[in-house]
Amino acid sequence: MVAEADDSEDESFVIDCPVLSTERLVLRAPQESDVAELVTLADNRHVAEMLARMPHPYGEAEARAFLLMTRQRRTGTAYALTRKDDGAFVGCAGLNATDRGLELGYWIGEPYWKNGYATEAAHALVDLAFARTTVQVLHASCRVINPASRRVIHKCGFQYAGQGMLNSIAAGQVPVERYRLDRRTWTSLRTWVRL
């Protein structure tokens, strides 16, 4: 899932960062204690090339810059994704203010792929976005070569809205598919029936 730069300071995008709990995950603010695991999981070209703002290689300096950015953020929110059963750090997710509006973004570390964590976190963040802001439309996008992210987006009820280009730090200029989910559709899907 790609997440673009924090371009907007629209008041409707201001979200505090409450701890969210799902069936298997705890979504919480990133902490200093996450740095080592963050570096281990984020220093992966396969992950970085699917995102806009993740550099590769990714070291301690990049992790500390990410922590600082999350603390200074005035709009949107960023989360560390951790497993409930053992506290393992599995990735990050957030809601980012972009020129199109509020956008869902996420990444999961490769050892944790294919466990449904991205979908679980995405559902929680979509609910948070519509429950805590006045936005009428939530956006998401993914690289055209990322079918796993596309499945997450579809499972959350997003509808295809076209293609575009994205400037990825790790991959350069890349094509992406853009999706949108309006408040009315979200309301009808709130039970999050497993798709």
Short mmCIF file of all heavy atoms in Angstrom, two decimals, residues 152-177:
data_model
loop_
_atom_site.label_atom_id
_atom_site.label_comp_id
_atom_site.label_asym_id
_atom_site.label_seq_id
_atom_site.Cartn_x
_atom_site.Cartn_y
_atom_site.Cartn_z
N VAL A 152 -6.54 -6.38 -0.05
CA VAL A 152 -6.87 -5.70 1.21
C VAL A 152 -7.83 -4.55 0.94
O VAL A 152 -8.85 -4.40 1.62
CB VAL A 152 -5.59 -5.18 1.91
CG1 VAL A 152 -5.94 -4.28 3.08
CG2 VAL A 152 -4.72 -6.34 2.35
N ILE A 153 -7.51 -3.75 -0.06
CA ILE A 153 -8.34 -2.60 -0.41
C ILE A 153 -9.75 -3.05 -0.78
O ILE A 153 -10.75 -2.47 -0.34
CB ILE A 153 -7.67 -1.79 -1.54
CG1 ILE A 153 -6.40 -1.12 -1.01
CG2 ILE A 153 -8.62 -0.78 -2.15
CD1 ILE A 153 -5.49 -0.54 -2.08
N HIS A 154 -9.86 -4.09 -1.58
CA HIS A 154 -11.18 -4.61 -1.97
C HIS A 154 -11.95 -5.13 -0.76
O HIS A 154 -13.15 -4.91 -0.64
CB HIS A 154 -11.04 -5.71 -3.02
CG HIS A 154 -10.66 -5.20 -4.36
ND1 HIS A 154 -10.16 -6.02 -5.35
CD2 HIS A 154 -10.67 -3.96 -4.90
CE1 HIS A 154 -9.89 -5.30 -6.42
NE2 HIS A 154 -10.19 -4.06 -6.18
N LYS A 155 -11.27 -5.83 0.14
CA LYS A 155 -11.93 -6.38 1.33
C LYS A 155 -12.48 -5.28 2.23
O LYS A 155 -13.39 -5.52 3.02
CB LYS A 155 -10.97 -7.26 2.13
CG LYS A 155 -10.68 -8.58 1.46
CD LYS A 155 -9.68 -9.38 2.27
CE LYS A 155 -9.30 -10.67 1.58
NZ LYS A 155 -8.31 -11.43 2.36
N CYS A 156 -11.93 -4.09 2.12
CA CYS A 156 -12.41 -2.96 2.91
C CYS A 156 -13.54 -2.19 2.22
O CYS A 156 -14.06 -1.23 2.78
CB CYS A 156 -11.26 -2.00 3.22
SG CYS A 156 -10.08 -2.67 4.41
N GLY A 157 -13.92 -2.63 1.03
CA GLY A 157 -15.04 -2.00 0.34
C GLY A 157 -14.68 -0.85 -0.57
O GLY A 157 -15.58 -0.19 -1.12
N PHE A 158 -13.40 -0.56 -0.76
CA PHE A 158 -13.00 0.53 -1.65
C PHE A 158 -13.38 0.19 -3.09
O PHE A 158 -13.37 -0.98 -3.48
CB PHE A 158 -11.49 0.75 -1.57
CG PHE A 158 -11.04 1.48 -0.35
CD1 PHE A 158 -10.84 0.81 0.85
CD2 PHE A 158 -10.80 2.85 -0.38
CE1 PHE A 158 -10.41 1.47 1.99
CE2 PHE A 158 -10.36 3.53 0.74
CZ PHE A 158 -10.18 2.84 1.93
N GLN A 159 -13.68 1.22 -3.85
CA GLN A 159 -14.04 1.05 -5.26
C GLN A 159 -12.98 1.71 -6.13
O GLN A 159 -12.45 2.78 -5.79
CB GLN A 159 -15.41 1.66 -5.52
CG GLN A 159 -16.49 0.96 -4.71
CD GLN A 159 -17.80 1.70 -4.72
OE1 GLN A 159 -17.87 2.88 -5.03
NE2 GLN A 159 -18.86 0.99 -4.37
N TYR A 160 -12.69 1.09 -7.24
CA TYR A 160 -11.67 1.57 -8.17
C TYR A 160 -12.01 2.98 -8.64
O TYR A 160 -13.15 3.27 -9.00
CB TYR A 160 -11.58 0.62 -9.37
CG TYR A 160 -10.54 0.99 -10.38
CD1 TYR A 160 -9.20 0.77 -10.14
CD2 TYR A 160 -10.91 1.58 -11.59
CE1 TYR A 160 -8.23 1.12 -11.07
CE2 TYR A 160 -9.95 1.92 -12.53
CZ TYR A 160 -8.61 1.69 -12.26
OH TYR A 160 -7.66 2.03 -13.18
N ALA A 161 -11.00 3.86 -8.65
CA ALA A 161 -11.22 5.25 -9.04
C ALA A 161 -10.26 5.71 -10.13
O ALA A 161 -10.28 6.87 -10.50
CB ALA A 161 -11.09 6.16 -7.83
N GLY A 162 -9.43 4.81 -10.67
CA GLY A 162 -8.53 5.19 -11.75
C GLY A 162 -7.08 4.88 -11.44
O GLY A 162 -6.76 4.28 -10.42
N GLN A 163 -6.23 5.30 -12.36
CA GLN A 163 -4.79 5.09 -12.20
C GLN A 163 -4.08 6.42 -12.13
O GLN A 163 -4.62 7.46 -12.51
CB GLN A 163 -4.24 4.25 -13.35
CG GLN A 163 -4.71 2.82 -13.32
CD GLN A 163 -3.94 1.94 -14.28
OE1 GLN A 163 -3.19 2.39 -15.12
NE2 GLN A 163 -4.14 0.64 -14.14
N GLY A 164 -2.86 6.37 -11.65
CA GLY A 164 -2.04 7.56 -11.57
C GLY A 164 -0.59 7.15 -11.45
O GLY A 164 -0.25 5.97 -11.53
N MET A 165 0.24 8.13 -11.23
CA MET A 165 1.66 7.88 -11.04
C MET A 165 2.03 8.34 -9.63
O MET A 165 1.43 9.26 -9.08
CB MET A 165 2.49 8.64 -12.07
CG MET A 165 2.26 8.18 -13.51
SD MET A 165 2.65 6.44 -13.80
CE MET A 165 4.44 6.49 -13.76
N LEU A 166 3.03 7.69 -9.08
CA LEU A 166 3.50 7.99 -7.73
C LEU A 166 5.01 8.05 -7.74
O LEU A 166 5.66 7.22 -8.39
CB LEU A 166 3.04 6.89 -6.77
CG LEU A 166 3.57 6.98 -5.35
CD1 LEU A 166 2.74 7.98 -4.57
CD2 LEU A 166 3.51 5.62 -4.69
N ASN A 167 5.57 9.00 -7.04
CA ASN A 167 7.02 9.07 -6.91
C ASN A 167 7.42 8.33 -5.64
O ASN A 167 7.22 8.81 -4.53
CB ASN A 167 7.50 10.53 -6.87
CG ASN A 167 9.00 10.62 -6.93
OD1 ASN A 167 9.66 9.71 -7.42
ND2 ASN A 167 9.54 11.69 -6.42
N SER A 168 7.98 7.13 -5.79
CA SER A 168 8.44 6.31 -4.69
C SER A 168 9.92 6.58 -4.45
O SER A 168 10.72 6.56 -5.39
CB SER A 168 8.23 4.83 -5.03
OG SER A 168 8.93 3.99 -4.16
N ILE A 169 10.30 6.80 -3.19
CA ILE A 169 11.71 7.02 -2.86
C ILE A 169 12.56 5.84 -3.31
O ILE A 169 13.64 6.01 -3.86
CB ILE A 169 11.88 7.26 -1.34
CG1 ILE A 169 11.24 8.58 -0.94
CG2 ILE A 169 13.36 7.24 -0.95
CD1 ILE A 169 11.19 8.81 0.55
N ALA A 170 12.06 4.62 -3.11
CA ALA A 170 12.85 3.42 -3.42
C ALA A 170 12.73 2.97 -4.87
O ALA A 170 13.66 2.38 -5.41
CB ALA A 170 12.44 2.27 -2.50
N ALA A 171 11.59 3.25 -5.52
CA ALA A 171 11.37 2.69 -6.86
C ALA A 171 11.27 3.74 -7.97
O ALA A 171 11.17 3.38 -9.14
CB ALA A 171 10.10 1.85 -6.85
N GLY A 172 11.27 5.00 -7.63
CA GLY A 172 11.13 6.05 -8.64
C GLY A 172 9.68 6.27 -9.02
O GLY A 172 8.76 5.97 -8.25
N GLN A 173 9.44 6.76 -10.21
CA GLN A 173 8.09 7.04 -10.70
C GLN A 173 7.41 5.73 -11.09
O GLN A 173 7.91 5.01 -11.95
CB GLN A 173 8.16 7.99 -11.90
CG GLN A 173 6.87 8.61 -12.29
CD GLN A 173 6.46 9.77 -11.41
OE1 GLN A 173 7.19 10.17 -10.50
NE2 GLN A 173 5.30 10.31 -11.66
N VAL A 174 6.29 5.41 -10.43
CA VAL A 174 5.63 4.12 -10.64
C VAL A 174 4.12 4.31 -10.82
O VAL A 174 3.53 5.21 -10.24
CB VAL A 174 5.90 3.15 -9.47
CG1 VAL A 174 7.38 2.80 -9.39
CG2 VAL A 174 5.41 3.73 -8.15
N PRO A 175 3.48 3.43 -11.60
CA PRO A 175 2.02 3.51 -11.75
C PRO A 175 1.31 2.90 -10.54
O PRO A 175 1.75 1.89 -9.97
CB PRO A 175 1.75 2.70 -13.02
CG PRO A 175 2.90 1.77 -13.15
CD PRO A 175 4.07 2.43 -12.50
N VAL A 176 0.21 3.54 -10.16
CA VAL A 176 -0.60 3.06 -9.05
C VAL A 176 -2.06 3.03 -9.46
O VAL A 176 -2.49 3.74 -10.36
CB VAL A 176 -0.46 3.94 -7.78
CG1 VAL A 176 0.94 3.85 -7.21
CG2 VAL A 176 -0.85 5.38 -8.04
N GLU A 177 -2.82 2.19 -8.77
CA GLU A 177 -4.28 2.18 -8.90
C GLU A 177 -4.82 2.96 -7.71
O GLU A 177 -4.35 2.80 -6.59
CB GLU A 177 -4.82 0.74 -8.86
CG GLU A 177 -4.38 -0.08 -10.03
CD GLU A 177 -4.81 -1.53 -9.92
OE1 GLU A 177 -5.24 -1.97 -8.83
OE2 GLU A 177 -4.71 -2.24 -10.92
#
